[in-house]
Amino acid sequence: MAFTIASAPHGHSQQKTATMMRWVLAALLPGIATQCYFFGYGVLVQLLLGLLTAAASEALVLALRHRPIGRHLQDSSALLTGALLAVALPPLAPWWLVIIGTVFAIIVAKQLYGGLGQNPFNPAMVAYVLLLVSFPSQMTSWQPAHGLAIAQPDLLQALQAILHSEADHWRHTIDGVTSATPLDSMKTQLGMGRDIATIQAQAPFGDLAGIGWGWVNLAFLAGGLFLILIGTIAWQIPTAMLLSLTLCAAIAHGLHPEQFMAPQLQLLSGATMLGAFFIATDPVTAATTPRGRLLFGALIGILIFVIRSLGGYPDGVAFAVLLANICTPLIDNITRPAVYGSQRRAGGK
């Protein structure tokens, strides 16, 4: 009888790592399609650049480490990292932004620690924070969503805007202006002394949580529920994250409705659902025990609320996930089941 040893991540879904990664990629498709509808074909260009760069970076490091390239690329973990980073970037961001971020995610945040199963932080979120801190202007320049812009670039125009610097006018003159995200606009105007009701009455916010953004989050929610249904991810982390974020938002909004966003705006803005189902549930960097997952998810939800409400960045999902990643070893340690027959299980006898 053969005894097989495999590297992390280890799960109980009875799915191979490659199968899990591919199901997650498939579950991203509703959100990607919705992003394309509201924000244009630039989403697809960024996605293609991210996937190609991730595969090339992974192959390069594997070759330098004298590891079999084909076998390791087949697990699709690098492709998932590239895809997650790409969908988090503004659709018309310059080409070098997604390439720099993806290279950093694969080579530094993943392979530098030994590859899949060894990295302590989510590679896509490490890269996102690097880009946000280093290139804040490019990372916050979103085009107006479909329904707000007079004209949306077609595929060729989006490609030119992303690949050629002389096409910068497309990033800055679609409908005359670039558009801040609803969360960014909310934070900026709150800093100017305006109240929540006045800000939400503006056209970009619409009925849900910002035109386009609410539907994008609902699409990622649908993909995430599918992953739970087929057993690819556990329910504890997204459930605890969304419940803790909702509870914090409800309490704060109830006490000071003029200063704090309502729960539905928190849940359906920015990267909330993408973070809850596709990023926080990373089997390598998240807590592994059932109780630990609940604590891990709740911590992320609380941190997102604190960063969005009191911090300097409008969203905060990436920062919250990375801060929770730091706590993963501690959470696993305090929630680890006692070994059968140990004093801890026997009540100290």
Side-chain angles (χ1 to χ4, degrees), residues 17-19 21-22 68-77 79:
T17 299
T19 303
M21 299 297 174
R22 290 165 191 166
I69 297 175
R71 180 163 63 86
H72 284 83
L73 282 179
Q74 286 177 0
D75 64 25
S76 301
S77 62
L79 297 180

Side-chain angles (χ1 to χ4, degrees), residues 120-301:
F121 302 102
N122 185 287
M125 292 302 95
V126 172
Y128 183 87
V129 168
L130 169 76
L131 297 176
L132 185 61
V133 172
S134 304
F135 310 103
S137 176
Q138 289 82 359
M139 288 290 289
T140 55
S141 296
W142 284 77
Q143 68 197 74
H146 177 71
L148 292 174
I150 294 175
Q152 289 281 6
D154 57 29
L155 180 58
L156 180 59
Q157 291 166 336
L159 192 62
Q160 290 175 336
I162 293 169
L163 298 181
H164 302 293
S165 59
E166 62 267 21
D168 279 350
H169 68 278
W170 263 109
R171 286 191 293 271
H172 299 289
T173 60
I174 297 172
D175 201 26
V177 293
T178 51
S179 174
T181 66
L183 288 175
D184 196 7
S185 177
M186 180 72 71
K187 180 170 285 292
T188 300
Q189 295 189 60
L190 283 173
M192 298 168 61
R194 297 175 182 171
D195 61 85
I196 293 287
T198 301
I199 299 171
Q200 283 194 262
Q202 299 171 4
F205 285 90
D207 296 327
L208 288 174
I211 292 179
W213 290 95
W215 290 109
V216 168
N217 272 277
L218 288 174
F220 282 125
L221 169 62
L225 293 176
F226 169 74
L227 291 177
I228 293 177
L229 182 64
I230 64 174
T232 297
I233 63 174
W235 60 270
Q236 289 96 337
I237 291 176
T239 301
M241 172 183 153
L242 296 178
L243 284 178
S244 65
L245 177 59
T246 300
L247 181 61
C248 290
I251 293 173
H253 184 71
L255 294 175
H256 298 286
E258 72 285 352
Q259 297 179 10
F260 294 95
M261 294 182 288
Q264 71 270 16
L265 187 58
Q266 292 275 9
L267 292 173
L268 298 177
S269 292
T272 302
M273 295 300 172
L274 179 68
F277 292 96
F278 296 92
I279 296 171
T281 54
D282 174 19
V284 176
T285 59
T288 56
T289 66
R291 285 189 302 154
R293 289 170 181 158
L294 290 172
L295 288 174
F296 182 82
L299 176 61
I300 293 176

Side-chain angles (χ1 to χ4, degrees), residues 330-344:
L330 175 62
I331 293 174
D332 279 342
N333 184 60
I334 63 177
T335 60
R336 183 179 57 203
V339 177
Y340 183 79
S342 66
Q343 289 187 343
R344 180 180 170 188

